[in-house]
Amino acid sequence: MRSHDYGRDILSNPKRKKVPEIPAEPGLVVEDPASGFCGAVVKFEHGQVVLENRHGRHRLFPLNPAGFLVDGKPVTLVKPMPQPQKPRISASGSVRVEGLRARTAKASRIWVEGKHDAELVERVWGHDLRVEGIVVEPLDGVDELPRRIAEFGTAPHRRLGVLVDHLVAGSKEQRIVDQVRDDNVLVTGHPYVDIWQAVKPSALRIEAWPVVPRGVPWKEGVCAALGWGETWEGWQRVLGAVGSYRDIESDLLGAVERLIDFVTVPQD
């Protein structure tokens, strides 16, 4: 007959409670029960963990099983798994090429109307252009565009991409562009009077770009309306507000992206 005098089998081994394993992430506060030293994880050295207490003192401890206390409960510290590095993104939104070395410039070029246009394109797309070996050059206006193209001498391996300000139907700029008939030239543009307007007002913390009366130079009128001082000071504000493509209007984004694609097309 089975005896009911005892509960469980007194000879059986009780199950040991599993001690949790915790990644020793920097900043995790643990205690060494043997010494009473309490500190935050700083780093690993020679297979041991370095703890720093509130007085700034460092001590090394081996990563023994159940060797530490967290909130008074025993834990086993383990080295955290290395996290895969996320690819760094350039200002244009492309994946940044690390360790980029200067590349010999290709024969193809991108032309923009002025110095400010070139600086803004560099701010957003500079990394991409250096990867591709494409140089951006200011034209100082498009009045002589057809002649300049002829002097450049285009070819399938020597393409031109041209970015034009205020390229809208019926404008002087549109009439000039209509004269360009060359398969190795692509002209794109944006509708803004000046490249400044291609920067979103929100990036500059203004509600909208001021309306400048006719007959008043646009940049001077903007600076006067916003209290930005001289035009060079205004341009520093505008350029400094651009951190990435998110600060640029879509009209300019699309126009420049098409030019880059055009001048970097692989040649057979």
Side-chain angles (χ1 to χ4, degrees):
M1 174 180 284
R2 182 179 179 184
S3 172
H4 295 284
D5 294 337
Y6 302 99
R8 61 180 177 81
D9 185 352
I10 60 174
L11 299 179
S12 65
N13 291 325
K15 292 184 178 179
R16 292 185 177 181
K17 189 175 181 180
K18 187 176 181 180
V19 176
E21 293 185 346
I22 296 182
E25 302 285 355
L28 175 69
V29 177
V30 300
E31 179 183 351
D32 172 50
S35 65
F37 189 91
C38 184
V41 173
V42 177
K43 58 182 178 179
F44 293 92
E45 283 185 2
H46 312 298
Q48 302 182 87
V49 65
V50 179
L51 302 183
E52 180 184 47
N53 69 7
R54 62 190 181 90
H55 301 294
R57 183 184 174 194
H58 286 196
R59 282 189 62 179
L60 278 167
F61 294 93
L63 294 171
N64 293 329
F68 298 90
L69 300 178
V70 172
D71 295 329
K73 297 178 181 179
V75 299
T76 298
L77 291 187
V78 295
K79 291 186 70 172
M81 294 291 290
Q83 296 295 320
Q85 290 188 346
K86 294 182 178 180
R88 293 180 62 198
I89 303 302
S90 73
S92 70
S94 65
V95 176
R96 180 175 289 277
V97 178
E98 301 298 343
L100 177 65
R101 301 180 68 179
R103 183 173 180 178
T104 302
K106 293 180 180 178
S108 297
R109 293 286 186 270
I110 290 179
W111 287 351
V112 295
E113 285 208 48
K115 179 174 177 286
H116 291 178
D117 304 67
E119 289 177 345
L120 186 58
V121 169
E122 164 62 27
R123 174 62 62 95
V124 179
W125 291 274
H127 174 78
D128 304 49
L129 294 167
R130 283 187 288 277
V131 169
E132 298 291 348
I134 298 298
V135 175
V136 175
E137 299 174 341
L139 277 173
D140 297 324
V142 294
D143 291 350
E144 300 295 323
L145 182 60
R147 179 182 62 80
R148 294 287 301 274
I149 292 173
E151 292 174 350
F152 179 79
T154 61
H157 69 284
R158 186 176 169 80
R159 290 184 159 196
L160 272 177
V162 185
L163 180 69
V164 177
D165 297 342
H166 196 231
L167 190 60
V168 295
S171 67
K172 175 194 73 171
E173 290 80 4
Q174 185 64 64
R175 290 192 295 272
I176 293 171
V177 168
D178 287 343
Q179 300 173 40
V180 177
R181 291 177 174 82
D182 188 326
D183 291 340
N184 296 309
V185 178
L186 175 65
V187 180
T188 66
H190 57 78
Y192 309 112
V193 174
D194 192 279
I195 195 72
W196 291 26
Q197 281 186 298
V199 177
K200 292 179 178 178
S202 58
L204 289 153
R205 299 182 179 180
I206 59 176
E207 291 187 6
W209 285 102
V211 177
V212 178
R214 295 189 66 177
V216 176
W218 192 85
K219 292 186 180 74
E220 284 83 347
V222 165
C223 289
L226 296 174
W228 283 357
E230 300 295 328
T231 55
W232 66 268
E233 296 173 297
W235 173 239
Q236 291 305 310
R237 284 177 178 265
V238 175
L239 187 62
V242 177
S244 75
Y245 71 95
R246 294 183 179 88
D247 299 317
I248 300 297
E249 299 285 1
S250 59
D251 295 296
L252 180 63
L253 291 177
V256 176
E257 293 287 350
R258 289 196 299 274
L259 293 180
I260 294 175
D261 289 344
F262 181 76
V263 297
T264 57
V265 64
Q267 298 297 321
D268 296 331

